[in-house]
Amino acid sequence: MKVLGLETSCDETGLAIFDSEQINSANKGLVGQVLYSQIELHAVYGGVVPELASRDHIRKLVPLLDELLAQCDMSKNDIDAIAYTKGPGLIGALMTGALFGRSLAFGLGIPAIGVHHMEGHLLAPLMGANPPPYPFVSLLVSGGHTQLIAAKGIGEYEILGESIDDAAGECFDKAAKMLGLPYPGGPNIAKLAETGNPNAYELPRPMLHRGLDFSFSGMKTAVHNLIKDTPQSGGSGNSADSDPQVRADIAASFQHAMVDTLVKKCVKALKQANMTRLVIAGGVSANTHLRETLETELTKINATVHYAPPALCTDNGAMIAYAGFERLNAGQTDDLAVSCVPRWPLTELPALLPAV
Ligand code: KG4
Ligand code: ZN
């Protein structure tokens, strides 16, 4: 089954074609993908402007589909089904991809399905010939979510813990902003941290001894105070004071505190759920320090960590195509009515029915 995936929940227009018959090949079933980022469009406003995001998705969807089909050497008629992001996300942005996908599927006479963006992230590391088997604990870490989930199958999710305030990615983005680094902050902090000393500054590891929930607002305040009290951070806006080594040390210490907190909670979650496999997903799961620390710490408790290639960790059309395929393959489809959901708890998803 060849599924076209459409991702338009925020500021990336992502399209991809997944072919289940190629799942065993090196491309893991991913025939091709295109991604257009609106980062530059929103940069001057310091955050995503929802109306501008929707308009830009509309401008880009048709040319990106043409580009994707040319890349895959396919025509529209070769597509068997369409999966689009139905939520959670910006309502206007979601509607563009959903209406485009639903109408195209209607025109082509093929099924369509609305996909949960976070289920797309969660399943992305499972794309390929040898996915980690269920059950596993999933750490979902993106710009809007930080959740620990016990996954017993597709749609069988139990939230073990989540952030009571900011998401991990949001915290990376805010720390980056304070250091004068551009959005998205995560990759820029990680880059700066490469030459820094992770133990140069002591930052808090919040809520370590309180269950599996997270809280990052205290860490954000601690970084803010550190940058304010350290003129060499360059955060004062006075570049004459700025010292590259101090900046790198702050980035490394912050990243270390974030990773340390996430890793300790993952270990705790695995023990609590009595599971031995951890799947990490979402933009922050692209972080090399997080991946390496998890590899080391989980080996100590005879557990394993699984993740997607970096390009499939951040928002993309491939994860939507793949999650859509799994549900379509089990016989689920959406009718002609398009209803997008800006807020949508993952636990409301139906469990996957066995394939017929
Ligand atoms: O999953 P995603 O692309 O979008 C949402 O659904 O939110 O996640 C974006 C988030 C941003 O906050 C970005 O700073 C963070 O993921 N991120 C990273 C890295 N790459 C992206 N955070 C830490 N290290 C990275 N390498
Ligand atoms: Zn996302």
Side-chain angles (χ1 to χ4, degrees), residues 239-263:
S239 56
D241 294 335
S242 177
D243 178 337
Q245 189 57 50
V246 171
R247 288 170 59 73
D249 287 349
I250 293 177
S253 301
F254 163 74
Q255 178 177 254
H256 189 48
M258 287 295 291
V259 166
D260 202 23
T261 309
L262 293 171
V263 170

Side-chain angles (χ1 to χ4, degrees), residues 196-251:
N197 171 7
N199 299 310
Y201 301 99
E202 186 63 31
L203 289 164
R205 273 75 166 150
M207 309 240 306
L208 275 194
H209 305 291
R210 277 204 270 147
L212 292 174
D213 284 339
F214 303 86
S215 165
F216 293 115
S217 66
M219 196 184 295
K220 205 175 60 192
T221 309
V223 183
H224 177 261
N225 291 340
L226 173 63
I227 292 173
K228 189 166 62 72
D229 298 341
T230 314
Q232 304 95 310
S233 69
S236 60
N238 186 352
S239 56
D241 294 335
S242 177
D243 178 337
Q245 189 57 50
V246 171
R247 288 170 59 73
D249 287 349
I250 293 177

Side-chain angles (χ1 to χ4, degrees), residues 7 9-10 88 117-118 121 142-145 282-283 313-316 319:
E7 157 58 31
S9 68
C10 189
H117 180 84
M118 298 312 293
H121 276 304
S142 69
H145 291 76
C313 292
T314 44
D315 290 352
N316 64 83
M319 66 184 199

